[in-house]
Amino acid sequence: MTRFLRDILRQPGELRRTLEYLSGAGRSALDAAVGAVRAARHVYLTGIGSSWHAGLNVSALFQLGARPVYLVDAAELVQFAAIPAESVLIVISRSGRSVEIVQLLAKAQESGATVIGITNAAEGALARESQIAMVVPVELDHAISVNTYTTLALAAGVLAASVVAEKNAETFLQGLKPNADTRSMSELKLRPPKELGLADSPSMRLPALAQSLSQAFAAAGAAIPGWQAQIENSTWLAPRSTTYFLARGSSLGNAYEARLMWEEGVKSPATAMGTGSFRHGPLEIVAKDVRFGLWIDGAKMREQDLAVARDLGKLGARVMLIGQRLPGDAGDLVFQLPEITSEWQFLIDIIPAQLVAERLARLSGSDPDTFRLSSFVVEDEAGLLPKEKRKG
């Protein structure tokens, strides 16, 4: 068993532990972060690499709650942006030591901005120098970001949802009970918060959300053996194939993360973009046996995107679909997700793609546990090779 696979298999448990942390030991930091974001004139959401992809997923939660944020890659934010005073920077970084993050901390201090650091490493610069540090305790992944990716996305997502809750409480309440019928949901909205058992602090007011997510994480863990069986004999997996990943909304970051896993683990080129954008020109790439991975949202644009999948098949492409309540014959490889509120689907719909990446790496003769060129933490901003190799 590869270490990459071991990291994938422990992911549902790490997600559940992260929820417990956010409602327990990490709650005071979460509450402070919520207060800072609500009071800010400008809010930036940033990271780099996998952390940037996590921010891309979470940005949809802010936007859907009518609380816009500036989503800017950390390298671009450092070099090509002036940060206004009274801004808040939500900075996501598993190590908190990447060169762009360290430089951004200095720039934020000079700008008088407040930094909320969301990280897995208490010893990193981000945790030490942030005004508010949300340090999510998790066993670090061996190489490819797996648990560090989803646990940081979960922490940032809970922050986003908590900020939005007071601004648009009714919408947030509606997202808590995906199985509720109209009558029970109406009753839920009419009952005062204290009768629903909601906490007085701004974060985690709605324990139903945490309970619902925890159940979805457990269900995803139980689904993994079935997904592995599907992958084992699927013709969708083909070494040295051309691969496109398409998604919308809160799963868009996972399409980009899948692309990164193909590059880091499979050692194979891939690309990612929004499903809507793909229809405006890039679809000219479609040809026989080109591989496509599509994420289908739990609520929006479902029929339209299923039509995209059908048309890709008619044009000779091979299609992998990931989503809830999907027709079994909608693609060459169809992963059925357990029920989860659509805005939060991104927390589990990356898992099938991770499993596919691990299996394809082995089929391709690649080692997903070793980086040939990349560092686990990029602490130098010049060139591609380590300093000692650049000297010659």
Side-chain angles (χ1 to χ4, degrees), residues 46-53 72-76 92-93 98 100-101:
T46 188
I48 196 161
S50 288
S51 297
W52 159 250
H53 302 155
V72 187
D73 178 280
E76 299 297 309
I92 306 172
S93 173
S98 298
E100 295 86 358
I101 300 303

Side-chain angles (χ1 to χ4, degrees), residues 170-389:
E170 182 173 316
T171 299
F172 192 71
L173 283 166
Q174 288 174 337
L176 291 179
K177 296 286 189 179
N179 295 319
D181 59 22
T182 303
R183 179 189 55 79
S184 60
M185 184 57 66
S186 176
E187 292 174 353
L188 180 64
K189 289 188 290 185
L190 290 172
R191 293 168 61 192
K194 289 187 177 179
E195 289 184 18
L196 292 170
L198 309 183
D200 291 330
S201 60
S203 68
M204 299 303 285
R205 295 189 165 180
L206 304 167
L209 173 61
Q211 182 179 2
S212 173
L213 291 180
S214 183
Q215 290 170 349
F217 299 154
I224 286 177
W227 291 338
Q228 288 178 295
Q230 288 180 257
I231 293 166
E232 193 66 27
N233 300 310
S234 174
T235 58
W236 189 88
L237 285 76
R240 294 171 294 281
S241 54
T242 300
T243 310
Y244 274 65
F245 295 107
L246 310 176
R248 297 182 190 265
S250 60
S251 293
L252 182 57
N254 284 349
Y256 283 86
E257 182 67 10
R259 186 220 74 214
L260 180 58
M261 289 190 295
W262 256 242
E263 293 162 344
E264 290 181 330
V266 185
K267 318 298 194 244
S268 179
T271 193
M273 66 185 69
T275 307
S277 296
F278 176 76
R279 298 176 63 251
H280 290 258
L283 61 90
E284 287 294 323
I285 198 67
V286 179
K288 189 177 186 297
D289 291 334
V290 174
R291 264 57 183 178
F292 285 86
L294 277 77
W295 280 260
I296 305 297
D297 189 79
K300 296 178 182 292
M301 301 296 290
R302 289 176 58 82
E303 293 306 316
Q304 293 89 337
D305 289 350
L306 287 171
V308 169
R310 287 193 297 270
D311 287 350
L312 287 170
K314 291 175 182 177
L315 292 168
R318 297 298 186 96
V319 179
M320 174 180 73
L321 291 179
I322 302 174
Q324 303 178 63
R325 306 177 306 280
L326 300 178
D329 60 352
D332 300 279
L333 180 57
V334 179
F335 292 106
Q336 300 286 357
L337 297 174
E339 188 162 354
I340 185 170
T341 303
S342 61
E343 296 93 324
W344 294 89
Q345 181 177 296
F346 70 94
L347 292 171
I348 61 172
D349 67 15
I350 189 60
I351 298 176
Q354 293 168 338
L355 293 168
V356 172
E358 193 275 340
R359 175 60 176 151
L360 185 56
R362 289 187 285 116
L363 287 175
S364 303
S366 300
D367 181 5
D369 294 335
T370 302
F371 293 153
R372 297 183 302 111
L373 301 171
S374 300
S375 301
F376 185 75
V377 180
V378 178
E379 299 181 271
D380 177 12
E381 64 178 353
L384 298 175
L385 300 175
K387 288 182 179 179
E388 58 272 16
K389 292 186 179 181

Side-chain angles (χ1 to χ4, degrees), residues 45 49-59 92 149 152-153 156 253 346:
L45 179 59
S50 288
S51 297
W52 159 250
H53 302 155
L56 185 55
N57 288 334
V58 168
S59 67
I92 306 172
Y149 172 64
L152 293 184
F346 70 94

